[in-house]
């Protein structure tokens, strides 16, 4: 009988991609996937270590599994990803955990599962030299091989069949003082450009129309080959030349060494989406320095101005950390000022969380109280939202192209009320479900339409706006 795997993914887009690659490798080896943990023979949890909160959620999940294991003790539990690398043997000692595998060992997961199924032992696979896997060609090769796997399983939903994520690079070399990523994902390794482009072609031939290139600092993609050094701009150009690819985008950018050629390719090529996720983290030079971000607020603003000069109306998204050790009211006000100056399409705000082993954990005191972190978090989100609310109003009446992602998970009353009113007034009483789509600038658009539009590029007319959502009707 086919063994069933249930996969649960925490954390960033990179983790979701890792999960789908592991799922791809497992299905190729004869395992089946199930979305019901109660039916699974193996439960895999792909974990995130970026904030303590993310780790707490994994532990509470393991608590649920403990109950499940009481009635079905034969279930195998594998914990993979960043937490696996960070905690290693400590995590393996947890009563429900059978397998622990770090982000650079994901290619071993199918073999580890088979082994544990036969020997009923616990298995650990993490690297004790996480900052040196570059030297180990075998690990790099195995990682590249896993990256070539078909994206067979979308851990988010099962209806987005028209877009895919492709890894451009792994790891990070920046060592921002607060961040655990370089310690759990290792150094930067860029995939060979031909592997990325070939994968994009294969996916396009299968009907994928939007490709998102992923990397922790994707703009530092560099691949040295005898003929030339390949950059992100080269990748974007080559992927946009694939006929069936309609849109290509990339996340996440680091403002430090952002090459103008990336902006140029965005400006010259309508398939390259005018969207940058480019976290500033803070607007205070003092804090940016303490964070080891490698730029000042002025440098960041100049880069955004340059982006908007070369690619008019580029949508800018960002991340901020509030309550970094030593952040004063004045530092925070400078962040608010930067937000007002940049006018983000949207930005995520995180409360500083001390991560074991990082520079700031070792050298700086987590001095800002939970209350102040919360206050700053709320205030910054309010400012971001107020700006987006104002800026989004300019879209009312505009026709926009969206890629339809599928049914909206939570109903938006505005649209239903509107649609029902219209349906009442006009002859055909067709109540279409609420769909969700995204524009090239990454705006979320909600509108009523037949579910059959899922996966298609269509035009909609914007009728209403909110800070994070645009509401529309079919054209
Ligand atoms: N505490 C809070 N937020 C963090 N991030 C990274 N490390 C931490 C931390 N220790 C945030 C940054 C990053 C995003 C993915 O998570 O804003 O851009
Ligand atoms: Fe972490 Fe900084 Fe690397 Fe981003 S650039 S993953 S914040 S170390």
């Amino acid at each position: 009988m086919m063994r069933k795997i249930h996969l649960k993914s925490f954390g960033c887009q990179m983790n979701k991609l890792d999960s789908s690659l592991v799922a791809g490798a497992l299905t190729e080896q004869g395992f089946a996937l199930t979305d019901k943990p109660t039916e699974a023979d193996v439960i895999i949890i792909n974990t995130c270590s970026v904030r303590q909160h993310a780790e707490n959620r994994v532990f509470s999940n393991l608590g649920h599994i403990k109950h499940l294991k009481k009635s079905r003790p034969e279930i195998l539990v594998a914990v993979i990803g960043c937490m696996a690398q960070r905690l290693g043997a400590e995590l393996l000692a947890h009563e429900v955990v059978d397998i622990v595998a770090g982000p650079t060992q994901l290619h071993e997961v199918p073999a580890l599962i088979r082994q544990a199924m036969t020997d009923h032992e616990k298995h650990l696979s993490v690297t004790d030299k996480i900052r040196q896997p570059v030297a180990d060609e075998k690990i790099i090769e195995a990682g590249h091989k896993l990256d070539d796997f078909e994206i067979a399983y979308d851990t988010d939903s099962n209806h987005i069949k028209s877009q895919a994520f492709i890894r451009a690079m792994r790891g990070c070399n920046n060592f921002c003082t607060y961040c655990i990523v370089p310690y759990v994902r290792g150094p930067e390794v860029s995939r060979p450009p031909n592997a990325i482009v070939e994968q994009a072609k294969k996916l396009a031939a299968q009907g994928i129309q939007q490709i998102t290139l992923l990397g922790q600092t994707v703009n530092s993609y560099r691949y040295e080959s005898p003929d030339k050094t390949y950059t992100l701009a080269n990748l974007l150009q080559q992927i946009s030349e694939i006929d069936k690819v309609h849109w290509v985008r990339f996340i996440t950018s680091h403002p430090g060494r952002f090459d103008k050629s990336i902006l140029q390719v965005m400006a010259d090529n309508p398939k390259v989406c005018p969207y940058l996720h480019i976290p500033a983290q803070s607007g205070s030079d003092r804090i940016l320095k303490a964070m080891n971000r490698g730029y000042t607020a002025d440098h960041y603003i100049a880069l955004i101005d340059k982006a908007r000069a070369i690619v008019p109306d580029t949508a800018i998204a960002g991340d901020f950390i509030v309550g970094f050790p030593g952040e004063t009211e004045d530092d925070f006000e400078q962040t608010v000022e930067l937000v007002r100056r940049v006018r983000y399409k949207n930005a995520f705000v995180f409360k500083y969380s001390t991560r074991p082993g990082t520079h700031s954990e070792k050298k700086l005191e987590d001095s800002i109280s939970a209350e102040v972190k919360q206050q700053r978090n709320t205030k910054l989100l309010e400012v971001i939202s107020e700006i987006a609310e104002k800026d989004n109003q300019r879209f009312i009446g505009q026709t926009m192209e969206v890629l339809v992602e599928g049914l909206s998970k939570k109903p938006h009353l505005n649209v239903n009320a509107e649609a029902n009113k219209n349906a009442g007034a006009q002859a055909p009483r067709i109540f279409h479900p609420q769909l969700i789509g995204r524009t090239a600038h990454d705006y979320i658009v909600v509108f009523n339409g037949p579910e059959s539009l899922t996966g298609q590029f269509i035009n909609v007319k914007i009728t209403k706006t909110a800070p994070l959502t645009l509401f529309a009707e079919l054209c």
Side-chain angles (χ1 to χ4, degrees):
M1 207 181 68
M2 242 187 194
R3 301 292 192 155
K4 285 192 185 154
I5 308 261
H6 175 76
L7 220 157
K8 187 162 174 64
S9 210
F10 290 89
C12 63
Q13 207 60 57
M14 190 64 91
N15 254 20
K16 287 179 187 152
L17 172 63
D18 282 341
S19 295
S20 58
L21 292 167
V22 168
L26 283 164
T27 45
E28 207 202 53
Q29 297 198 15
F31 290 93
L33 298 164
T34 171
D35 55 5
K36 295 191 187 68
T38 45
E39 282 181 2
D41 301 294
V42 185
I43 297 179
I44 303 178
I45 308 180
N46 192 5
T47 59
C48 170
S49 277
V50 86
R51 280 170 293 277
Q52 187 56 45
H53 177 66
E55 294 203 350
N56 295 347
R57 285 176 63 206
V58 170
F59 280 117
S60 86
N61 216 262
L62 290 175
H64 297 314
I65 294 175
K66 192 174 146 187
H67 286 291
L68 198 61
K69 256 197 160 177
K70 270 191 194 136
S71 53
R72 293 186 51 215
E74 71 282 5
I75 299 178
L76 276 184
V77 178
V79 181
I80 64 172
C82 296
M83 246 176 108
Q85 176 60 41
R86 190 179 90 69
L87 295 171
E90 197 183 321
L91 201 51
L92 197 67
H94 190 289
E95 58 187 309
V96 305
V97 178
D98 302 290
I99 295 165
V100 168
T104 49
Q105 269 77 28
L106 297 183
H107 54 278
E108 295 174 12
V109 169
L112 290 169
I113 290 175
R114 286 197 186 287
Q115 229 176 319
M117 276 175 167
T118 45
D119 66 13
H120 306 288
E121 299 283 336
K122 288 192 177 224
H123 292 273
L124 174 69
S125 184
V126 293
T127 172
D128 50 358
K129 299 195 187 95
I130 188 70
R131 290 307 301 173
Q132 289 127 42
V134 177
D136 191 337
E137 287 298 324
K138 269 200 200 131
I139 290 186
I140 294 181
E141 270 308 302
H144 285 337
K145 228 172 131 195
L146 185 78
D147 284 337
D148 283 337
F149 258 104
E150 211 133 304
I151 323 292
Y153 183 69
D154 184 343
T155 52
D156 252 359
S157 77
N158 48 21
H159 52 228
I160 308 174
K161 294 203 179 74
S162 47
Q163 64 160 316
F165 295 87
I166 297 183
R167 183 163 8 241
M169 59 186 295
R170 293 166 170 268
C172 181
N173 288 348
N174 283 291
F175 288 97
C176 300
T177 54
Y178 52 80
C179 188
I180 193 97
V181 168
Y183 303 94
V184 287
R185 287 195 173 264
E188 290 178 3
V189 180
S190 292
R191 288 178 71 200
N194 59 335
I196 297 169
V197 175
E198 284 311 309
Q199 195 172 20
K201 281 185 186 158
K202 216 164 81 184
L203 288 166
Q206 291 168 9
I208 295 291
Q209 298 183 80
Q210 170 171 284
I211 284 173
T212 304
L213 293 175
L214 291 185
Q216 239 79 37
T217 58
V218 69
N219 53 313
S220 44
Y221 176 88
R222 292 270 174 301
Y223 191 88
E224 308 281 349
S225 83
D227 60 323
K228 72 176 204 175
T229 302
Y230 286 84
T231 63
L232 179 65
N234 300 133
L235 287 183
L236 294 170
Q237 182 58 38
Q238 285 190 45
I239 292 175
S240 66
E241 282 165 14
I242 302 170
D243 256 359
K244 289 185 177 151
V245 170
H246 195 78
W247 284 345
V248 52
R249 53 174 98 239
F250 53 96
I251 50 174
T252 291
S253 295
H254 186 284
R257 290 165 299 277
F258 196 94
D259 205 275
K260 201 177 136 193
S261 62
I262 299 169
L263 300 173
Q264 207 51 60
V265 104
M266 281 167 89
D268 295 343
N269 197 323
K271 286 188 183 179
V272 183
C273 294
Y275 168 76
L276 289 176
H277 179 230
I278 188 159
Q281 311 294 3
S282 170
S284 152
D285 288 348
R286 211 176 64 79
I287 297 295
L288 286 170
K289 191 152 188 262
M291 287 177 163
N292 189 32
R293 289 291 289 174
Y295 53 86
T296 61
D298 279 352
H299 170 105
Y300 181 86
I301 289 168
L303 175 62
I304 302 301
D305 286 350
K306 186 158 83 181
R308 286 183 168 143
I310 297 175
V311 191
D313 213 21
T314 318
I316 307 290
D319 296 349
F320 288 93
I321 295 176
V322 292
F324 185 81
E327 184 188 65
T328 61
E329 268 312 304
D330 186 51
D331 291 317
F332 176 67
E333 278 311 315
Q334 291 178 44
T335 299
V336 174
E337 222 171 278
L338 180 130
V339 165
R340 291 198 197 281
R341 173 69 169 73
V342 171
R343 305 193 78 84
Y344 289 90
K345 167 198 164 271
N346 71 315
F348 301 100
V349 181
F350 303 106
K351 290 176 270 189
Y352 172 74
S353 161
T354 309
R355 304 317 295 132
T358 58
H359 177 91
S360 55
E361 184 256 342
K362 289 189 211 146
K363 305 276 182 205
L364 306 170
E365 191 198 338
D366 185 4
S367 57
I368 310 301
S369 69
E371 290 81 358
V372 171
K373 281 181 187 169
Q374 186 54 52
Q375 276 166 17
R376 291 180 185 168
N377 189 299
T378 309
K379 165 87 193 284
L380 198 57
L381 282 173
E382 274 169 16
V383 176
I384 291 161
S385 167
E386 192 187 295
I387 291 169
E389 183 163 25
K390 260 193 208 132
D391 286 356
N392 288 355
Q393 284 169 11
R394 72 190 192 278
F395 297 126
I396 293 178
Q398 280 189 23
T399 298
M400 289 181 153
E401 188 182 25
V402 295
L403 170 57
V404 185
E405 293 188 348
L407 288 178
S408 160
K409 280 187 196 136
K410 44 176 189 192
H412 294 263
L413 291 174
N414 302 18
V415 168
N416 271 344
E418 199 75 7
N420 291 346
K421 201 175 73 200
N422 290 346
Q426 290 157 15
R429 288 172 177 268
I430 302 167
F431 291 86
H432 283 312
Q434 215 168 66
L435 300 178
I436 215 156
R438 257 173 219 267
T439 70
H441 293 81
D442 203 50
Y443 286 95
I444 296 168
V445 186
V446 173
F447 53 97
N448 289 91
E451 201 183 343
S452 57
L453 290 176
T454 301
Q456 294 184 34
F457 287 87
I458 59 159
N459 282 331
V460 294
K461 192 168 162 202
I462 308 300
T463 53
K464 241 184 221 155
T465 60
L468 288 176
T469 318
L470 309 181
F471 299 97
E473 56 192 30
L474 291 176
C475 287

